[in-house]
Amino acid sequence: MAGLALLRNLYDGSTEDAQRRIADVRRVLADEEFAAGEVTTEGDVATGYRLWSTRYDEPGNLLIAVEQPAVWSLLDDIEPGDALDAACGTGRHARRLVDLGHRVTGVDLTPEMLAIAGNAVPQARFLPADLLALPFPAQRFDLVVCGLAIAHLPEPRAAIAELGRVLRPGGKLVISALHPFQAHLGWHAPFQDADGNRGFIREHPHTHGDYLAAFGAAGLTVRACLEPTLGLAEVAAKRRAFRHLPETTTDAYLGLPAVLVWEAEKTSDPLPSASA
Ligand SMILES: C[S@@+](CC[C@H](N)C(=O)[O-])C[C@H]1O[C@@H](n2cnc3c(N)ncnc32)[C@H](O)[C@@H]1O
């Protein structure tokens, strides 16, 4: 993190600030609390979200804090209809869609996340399914939402083709994902299981070009692209880092784009190769 803070200020930062960052690094290296490091295990999607499910809705998820207002600002302007929350998790967006008057179906790969969604949003229908093979006929939905899931896939094209397939002509797709800038920095989805063990689920850096090519192939036209950034509140929500190194954490992260949010409209048929 100090490396990122130094790099961001390489050309126009002050020598004094750089020296404070380097002093922070020395302090961390000398601190026995950090000397042993920490075990953080990678989990695949099904394992990771099974372990995370009981704590997923705990407050303090800084990505959700940044993503939710942006996604909901788009959802609030869309006419109620038949809505799909794809990779719905514990039902955060599904609940919002119900509140907005939509008839909501939610799907997810992880049964433990779906079970929580079912209890939390009884007005919606939930079923297990993969984003890449949705169990619905073409053009079934007026609106498809997919929050913070697509970057778990190595590439977005096949999922966007499938999400677009189930949209009616004129229907809207709203997608959010970890911003590729953060994924390039090595940010994955971190979690703690019920016993406090730390793990992460991999996130891939899909570029704007990747998304635009996928939307084009799926017959989707971009209507909005939002890139909300990390403010002071979110930087402070990196609690352990901020507690030990507040200035370094702020220099490293403040103002960086955190999430990429797209709204696209189904305007034409997909290209024949869209899901290839
Ligand atoms: C970070 S959570 C987001 C949940 C919810 N959309 C939200 O924004 O709060 C990611 C969810 O995507 C689901 N997921 C990941 N890959 C998936 C796939 N290929 N098909 C269906 N669900 C998937 C996971 O099981 C998990 O519940």
Side-chain angles (χ1 to χ4, degrees):
M1 196 187 308
L4 176 59
L6 284 166
L7 188 62
R8 290 188 71 195
N9 292 288
L10 184 62
Y11 287 96
D12 60 356
S14 71
T15 303
E16 294 71 30
D17 279 343
Q19 282 166 346
R20 282 211 294 276
R21 297 297 75 78
I22 290 165
D24 277 346
V25 173
R26 290 207 174 93
R27 196 155 51 77
V28 167
L29 289 174
D31 188 327
E32 283 184 10
E33 186 187 342
F34 297 104
E38 188 174 32
V39 177
T40 304
T41 313
E42 179 172 358
D44 60 21
V45 164
T47 310
Y49 282 104
R50 173 171 59 75
L51 294 171
W52 191 359
S53 58
T54 55
R55 303 184 68 165
Y56 183 81
D57 289 324
E58 288 181 356
N61 184 323
L62 68 98
L63 215 57
I64 286 180
V66 174
E67 182 251 23
Q68 189 163 287
V71 170
W72 289 8
S73 74
L74 298 175
L75 297 186
D76 288 357
D77 288 339
I78 295 173
E79 285 289 303
D82 284 319
L84 172 67
D85 185 0
C88 61
T90 55
R92 185 170 60 96
H93 292 320
R95 178 197 294 280
R96 181 67 170 187
L97 293 169
V98 165
D99 290 347
L100 289 169
H102 295 269
R103 294 172 296 279
V104 180
T105 303
V107 299
D108 199 281
L109 208 58
T110 310
E112 292 80 2
M113 297 288 275
L114 266 182
I116 294 170
N119 287 329
V121 194
Q123 306 90 333
R125 182 171 79 106
F126 293 99
L127 56 155
D130 192 319
L131 275 180
L132 297 170
L134 295 169
F136 307 110
Q139 305 188 5
R140 163 74 177 75
F141 294 100
D142 303 297
L143 167 64
V144 174
V145 178
C146 182
L148 298 177
I150 209 160
H152 288 315
L153 299 165
E155 61 83 35
R157 191 177 170 113
I160 288 175
E162 185 62 352
L163 297 171
R165 181 186 68 78
V166 300
L167 259 187
R168 68 159 170 81
K172 297 279 180 61
L173 172 64
V174 175
I175 291 181
S176 70
L178 179 69
H179 198 283
F181 188 89
Q182 298 290 347
H184 277 302
L185 286 180
W187 188 341
H188 300 291
F191 66 89
Q192 279 184 280
D193 68 16
D195 300 322
N197 301 311
R198 290 181 186 276
F200 73 91
I201 305 154
R202 186 162 296 273
E203 304 256 13
H204 298 271
H206 303 153
T207 65
H208 293 64
D210 294 334
Y211 283 105
L212 292 175
F215 290 139
L220 294 156
T221 301
V222 173
R223 297 297 185 213
C225 175
L226 308 178
E227 299 179 88
T229 57
L230 296 172
L232 262 182
E234 289 81 42
V235 172
K238 285 188 160 290
R239 282 187 294 269
R240 286 191 316 154
F242 193 76
R243 195 170 64 238
H244 293 289
L245 304 172
E247 283 187 1
T248 292
T249 309
T250 305
D251 274 9
Y253 288 113
L254 186 66
L256 294 185
V259 177
L260 183 53
V261 180
W262 297 98
E263 178 180 322
E265 182 174 342
K266 177 92 165 273
T267 49
S268 62
D269 290 334
L271 301 176
S273 60
S275 57

